Amino acid sequence: RDALSTTTTLTTTLTHPPPPPPPPTSRDVVATALEALPSEKLTVGVPEIRHLEARYRDRVEKPAKRWLLVPRDLDGLLGHGLAYLAELLGLSAPLLDGDASDVKAHLATLDAASRALEHDGDLKACVTTLRRLPTAHPATNQPSPALDWLHDAHARLAADQAAQIIRAKTSLLNAEQVTLASSHYHHHQKSK
């Protein structure tokens, strides 16, 4: 009996599936768009793209390059001094490190992110590229100097996406209102 009732229930479910969920309401769409924003950004605001671009070189590119150039075994003042010297000399690997292929790859990633933002004006590509960098230095475990900027850039992208969603939903609502008004007008004209 149990197998028969299970088969009957399964057959009924397959032949008469439950109705699809109702489409999201305007409020649901807007709420979802706003929930994508970090909560603290709703109170303090989201940086404008031009501010992110202005801060990039001094807050991300230069510090991240020096951060990557700190030698593995010298995490003190000497290591940071050597990193600063390596950056000034335009080196693509830390001083005193043997195989630095991982650092070279990270520096190439940093250069690609910089090009995306500074030359192409593509914040999303810059953020996507920067996310490939480690969040902590492999040898020193110091956090990446790009993390704060990335947090702000992500908030900007989320705010822009939320604004696009809200604009699109507003346009749809306006179109629905125009269609409804036109329908009422034509119905009123016919009844005269």
Side-chain angles (χ1 to χ4, degrees), residues 4 9 11-12 23 45 49 54 98 105 112 130 135 138 141 145 157 162 183 189-190:
L4 181 60
T9 303
T11 304
T12 303
I49 291 177
L130 279 178
T135 57
N141 210 27
L157 292 171
S183 170
Q189 290 298 326
K190 286 181 182 178

Side-chain angles (χ1 to χ4, degrees), residues 10-94:
L10 183 59
T11 304
T12 303
T13 303
L14 290 175
T15 56
H16 304 303
T25 65
S26 299
R27 182 167 289 175
D28 295 339
V29 171
V30 172
T32 302
L34 291 176
E35 286 171 3
L37 290 171
S39 59
E40 79 277 0
K41 295 299 180 190
L42 292 174
T43 56
V44 298
V46 178
E48 293 181 25
I49 291 177
R50 63 187 171 101
H51 292 131
L52 289 166
E53 290 171 340
R55 292 184 355 216
Y56 181 79
R57 183 173 295 279
D58 292 329
R59 296 241 181 121
V60 177
E61 187 177 23
K62 287 180 181 181
K65 191 172 282 189
R66 274 190 299 253
W67 175 74
L68 288 167
L69 291 171
V70 172
R72 285 189 173 90
D73 298 325
L74 293 171
D75 178 31
L77 185 59
L78 179 60
H80 287 274
L82 288 172
Y84 184 74
L85 181 62
E87 185 212 356
L88 282 176
L89 295 173
L91 301 179
S92 61

Side-chain angles (χ1 to χ4, degrees), residues 24-26 29-30 164-174:
T25 65
S26 299
V29 171
V30 172
Q164 286 178 331
I165 290 168
I166 291 168
R167 276 193 300 271
K169 189 61 183 171
T170 302
S171 294
L172 287 173
L173 289 172
N174 286 339

Side-chain angles (χ1 to χ4, degrees), residues 61-145:
E61 187 177 23
K62 287 180 181 181
K65 191 172 282 189
R66 274 190 299 253
W67 175 74
L68 288 167
L69 291 171
V70 172
R72 285 189 173 90
D73 298 325
L74 293 171
D75 178 31
L77 185 59
L78 179 60
H80 287 274
L82 288 172
Y84 184 74
L85 181 62
E87 185 212 356
L88 282 176
L89 295 173
L91 301 179
S92 61
L95 294 171
L96 307 179
D97 271 358
D99 177 31
S101 57
D102 58 335
V103 174
K104 289 179 182 180
H106 293 320
L107 288 170
T109 299
L110 184 60
D111 287 342
S114 298
R115 275 192 310 279
L117 183 65
E118 295 172 351
H119 297 291
D120 302 336
D122 190 344
L123 181 64
K124 185 176 181 179
C126 178
V127 167
T128 301
T129 304
L130 279 178
R131 284 192 178 151
R132 295 194 316 237
L133 291 177
T135 57
H137 193 281
T140 66
N141 210 27
Q142 290 180 329
S144 168

